[in-house]
Amino acid sequence: MKISAREFFDGVLDPGSYRSWDREPIEVAIAPAYRAELTAAAERSGTDESVLTGEGRLRGRRVAVIACEFGFLAGSIGVAAAERIVTAVERATALGLPLLASPTSGGTRMQEGTVAFVQMVKIAGAVAAHKSAGHPYLVYLRNPTMGGVFASWGSLGHMTFAEPGALIGFLGPRVYEALYDRPFPEGVQTAENLYRNGVIDGVVPVRFFRRIAHRVLNVAVPVAGQANSRPFATSAQADRAGAPGVGRVGSPGAEGADAPAWESVLISRDPRRPGIRELLRQATDRVPLSGTGQGESDRTVVHALARLRGEPCVIFGHDRAGQTGENTMGPAALREARRSMHLAAELRIPLVMVIDTAGAALSQEAEERGLAPEIARCLADLVTLDTPTVSVLLGQGTGGGALALLPADRVLAATHAWLAPLPPEGASAIVFRDTDHAPELAAAQRVVAADLLADGVVDRIVAERPDAAHEPIDFSRRMVAAIAGELAGLRTRPTAELRALRHRRYRRLGVPG
């Protein structure tokens, strides 16, 4: 049983709030036989074209909506349908409305040939302009979504979800079999498989997509009266009030900052130590993202949209629970990081990066799939990103995998967090040809939070009392409060000023005077 366009609107929008934007489809030059097909399709489906557009309310918030009607010539897109889509996207952009799109289509309308095929270009262009203007674009793929529709506006969402069991793909299985005389492999073009492989963000029924869209919009499009529309304390005020245990070395909030470097390294490796998931448990309006959106997913990292003490952000970071032995972050994880960076910039909300890794993957696959170039691209993206950024050194910070998430407007560190080009054992192996000198190297290389603060790499230390593993909830709350305080302060700075300050910060790093 396929979900109709009107059923989608009923499932997502507040009851009775839908208002159509559609006018009579534009006239195109067509043959009499095709005109008869259109008339019959309209009678069967009860719609005048394969797409319906309009606006409504989602839990009181005004949104624009576009949905295909599969009952009208299999939801195929011709010139008139494309014009209706583009007109709606442009109207949503002009009105500053978030846009929810729900394709279900066999693809391009074959009866109109190449001119219909190239309509996908103008649809993609309109969606790109909508996103460039800073407006959310959320996609819900229904069964089926194929061909040029999936390869254009169906794949451009800031976040993309799909109907359970939906057939989703580029080349239809019937076409594949006709062209290659063998069936397409089973289980590939399914919503669930695309989710597992990092192409889409989730598989949910329409009623759950309504909840997800509401949460996303709560983060990306704050409305009057929400928490982040009120005045916020400065960072210094947050130190004294909202975030106890945060401060510079020597302040009352820097307990444990004088611990030996090697002791901090060992403490950071405690499997009971709280990680990014514990931070996210302190967040509200959480919406997990999955994968790169381009067919890759790395389970050693986590990213989501969320609010931290009312402050909206995209949060990305290493997942302690997902890293075991040699299973550490690979190139796909860094491409997921870059997706989070670009998402934050497009939605014009801050980015929070959480560093907690024993190091990037060392393997043939990692080398061949471009680990080093991805580290470089992350660094370049972060230092030039047009949105506020906060990096959090939460635990271990080994090598390029840690460095790739470091550049930010503000950098926080837990008391026993550290950052180094190699784990101290690796540095010892290079310098002394053994691992016995690891404690000595940890101290000499100034890897721990107190040294990083003194050297200008870190801006603030969030205390562990005496060790985050012994107080995971309280520590996570302190860290989230500290992050939120930084986000509040950065939010008032113009983008050009943030970029200039960020450039100056890293240009002068390590230079005396």
Side-chain angles (χ1 to χ4, degrees), residues 84-172:
R84 178 171 286 182
I85 292 169
V86 170
T87 299
V89 175
E90 292 174 340
R91 184 170 178 178
T93 306
L95 292 172
L97 296 181
L99 177 57
L100 278 57
S102 182
T104 174
S105 174
T108 299
R109 190 167 298 171
M110 292 297 107
Q111 296 90 329
E112 295 183 25
T114 300
V115 70
F117 178 51
V118 299
Q119 296 300 303
M120 303 308 164
V121 177
K122 74 179 185 185
I123 297 174
V127 170
H130 182 80
K131 293 170 65 178
S132 294
H135 307 310
Y137 177 65
L138 307 182
V139 174
Y140 184 76
L141 304 171
R142 291 165 25 240
N143 181 42
T145 303
M146 306 297 295
V149 171
F150 182 46
S152 58
W153 56 291
S155 292
L156 292 175
H158 285 119
M159 298 186 75
T160 303
F161 293 83
E163 176 188 354
L167 176 69
I168 301 170
F170 180 59
L171 186 63

Side-chain angles (χ1 to χ4, degrees), residues 231-277:
F232 276 86
T234 65
S235 297
Q237 290 170 330
D239 290 350
R240 292 192 299 271
V246 184
R248 299 190 63 84
V249 171
S251 76
E255 298 99 325
D258 57 351
W262 183 241
E263 181 181 334
S264 286
V265 171
L266 295 180
I267 288 173
S268 76
R269 293 171 175 172
D270 189 330
R272 300 169 298 168
R273 186 177 179 85
I276 188 173
R277 292 183 183 274

Side-chain angles (χ1 to χ4, degrees), residues 61-63 96-99 130 134-138 213-224 226 228 305 307 312 347-349:
R61 186 193 301 272
R62 190 180 178 193
V63 297
L97 296 181
L99 177 57
H130 182 80
H135 307 310
Y137 177 65
L138 307 182
H214 171 65
R215 290 176 186 168
V216 171
L217 297 182
N218 270 354
V219 175
V221 190
V223 296
Q226 286 188 328
N228 69 331
L305 270 72
R307 281 179 173 269
L347 292 178
R348 301 180 184 178
I349 58 178

